[in-house]
Amino acid sequence: MILSKAQYDEIAQCLVSVPPTRQSLRKLKQRFPSQSQATLQSIFSQEYQKHIKRTHAKHHTLEAMESYYQRYLNGVMKNGGAPVLLELANEVDYAPSLMARIILERFLQEHEETPPSKSVINSMLRDPSQIPDGVLANQVYQCIVNDCSYGPLVDCIKHAIGHEHELLLRDLLLEKNLSFLDEDQLRAKGYDKTPDFILQVPVAVEGHIIHWIESKASFGDECSHHAYLHDQFWSYWNRFGPGLVIYWYGFIQELDCNRERGILLKDCFPTDIVTLCHGKA
């Protein structure tokens, strides 16, 4: 779905006043019934991540982290079964998984002889049963499963969704008998940064020649799109020529001006894109 900048801004502004919960996502769907659930969820997640980046520093001062840890200790002392850590994260408006990381790291610093490594902390967040304190393990688990935008569970879901859409795109290319090299084949040839697919025989789409296709299982907002341009798309353009980026959950309409510089955007994968090279539908 392609949204105008005004439509996108209206949705983003609505998100400013709601907490990052699944209940809020349902309310968002009621407010904007014409938008797909997947599009709203992607925008919801991206806007919340922007908010967390803006406020990250204030939660990581020594004073703030010590205050959170003491409040956690006092809370579980009163009732170890209550969702103390989750409620603390919601109260201070910070992602539950990131709050869990702060408390876990502080706990390990206090109870271990050596400072915990990043890999150890990541492993414990992925599997809280490794945490050497049953109460904290349960508190961390509650944060992980209730976080809509951060944490190992969300990372796994995002990875699975991204992989699923790459497979959908691959199946469409095979269905139309297009010859291509995928990312794994390109890496085997020694390429480092590669798009998802390079067409061995380019096709024309809306008068635009396409040499490669990149799949993004997300919404293309201005911030993320420009980041992708800097980190990926211009590199692909320099190496392989003009290409196509598919935002499966839509993008802001004004971003499509990039077609003039050799990058075409689509909000889905229309079947006519891959039939043009054969001259038939």
Side-chain angles (χ1 to χ4, degrees):
M1 183 172 291
I2 303 176
L3 303 182
S4 68
K5 184 66 163 57
Q7 289 174 314
Y8 175 82
D9 288 342
E10 184 181 4
I11 296 173
Q13 185 60 38
C14 181
L15 290 172
V16 172
S17 59
V18 300
T21 64
R22 294 178 178 86
Q23 290 76 17
S24 295
L25 187 56
R26 284 194 285 270
K27 292 178 181 177
L28 194 66
K29 179 59 178 174
Q30 293 172 356
R31 173 79 179 274
F32 302 98
S34 64
Q35 309 298 336
S36 73
Q37 179 81 6
T39 294
L40 291 174
Q41 187 166 357
S42 182
I43 295 174
F44 177 89
S45 178
Q46 287 167 297
E47 287 300 309
Y48 182 62
Q49 288 174 27
K50 292 176 192 175
H51 167 72
I52 292 298
K53 289 177 182 178
R54 288 193 298 267
T55 60
H56 176 82
K58 76 174 185 178
H59 297 291
H60 282 259
T61 65
L62 292 176
E63 294 80 7
M65 291 190 291
E66 188 60 29
S67 171
Y68 296 157
Y69 186 60
Q70 293 305 320
R71 291 181 63 180
Y72 160 73
L73 292 177
N74 293 335
V76 295
M77 188 178 298
K78 294 176 183 177
N79 185 357
V84 174
L85 205 49
L86 180 60
E87 291 177 354
L88 174 59
N90 291 334
E91 180 185 334
V92 301
D93 194 18
Y94 197 47
S97 293
L98 300 182
M99 177 61 76
R101 176 182 286 274
I102 288 175
I103 302 303
L104 175 59
E105 186 171 357
R106 179 65 179 79
F107 172 86
L108 294 175
Q109 288 173 350
E110 188 173 274
H111 292 83
E112 301 290 333
E113 295 182 358
T114 57
S117 67
K118 184 176 180 180
S119 62
V120 167
I121 293 173
N122 288 340
S123 179
M124 289 183 177
L125 290 172
R126 286 192 297 269
D127 179 11
S129 66
Q130 298 178 25
I131 298 174
D133 180 272
V135 173
L136 179 55
N138 181 53
Q139 295 286 329
V140 169
Y141 174 77
Q142 291 178 39
C143 287
I144 298 299
V145 299
N146 284 285
D147 197 323
C148 298
S149 300
Y150 283 92
L153 180 59
V154 171
D155 290 343
C156 287
I157 293 172
K158 287 182 177 179
H159 178 77
I161 291 174
H163 185 61
E164 177 187 11
H165 284 80
E166 287 178 21
L167 291 178
L168 288 172
L169 177 53
R170 180 188 181 90
D171 288 344
L172 283 169
L173 294 173
L174 290 172
E175 179 185 327
K176 300 303 178 181
N177 296 317
L178 289 181
S179 179
F180 61 86
L181 295 175
D182 62 26
E183 196 171 12
D184 291 336
Q185 292 171 313
L186 291 166
R187 293 264 172 89
K189 288 178 174 290
Y191 291 99
D192 50 0
K193 280 190 174 184
T194 66
D196 293 321
F197 301 96
I198 288 183
L199 301 176
Q200 293 185 299
V201 179
V203 299
V205 179
E206 302 173 357
H208 185 95
I209 300 298
I210 289 174
H211 294 264
W212 53 267
I213 304 176
E214 175 76 4
S215 170
K216 293 297 181 188
S218 62
F219 182 85
D221 66 8
E222 192 171 17
C223 180
S224 61
H225 178 69
H226 287 159
Y228 286 138
L229 279 172
H230 179 268
D231 296 337
Q232 296 178 312
F233 301 160
W234 291 139
S235 174
Y236 303 161
W237 184 87
N238 286 331
R239 290 186 179 189
F240 309 113
L244 169 68
V245 178
I246 300 167
Y247 282 110
W248 291 87
Y249 300 146
F251 60 92
I252 297 175
Q253 188 173 30
E254 285 82 347
L255 296 178
D256 200 30
C257 64
N258 285 294
R259 70 170 63 203
E260 297 176 3
R261 297 186 62 187
I263 297 177
L264 181 67
L265 306 185
K266 287 290 181 182
D267 65 323
C268 61
F269 193 75
T271 55
D272 61 347
I273 285 181
V274 291
T275 59
L276 292 176
C277 63
H278 300 298
K280 58 183 180 179

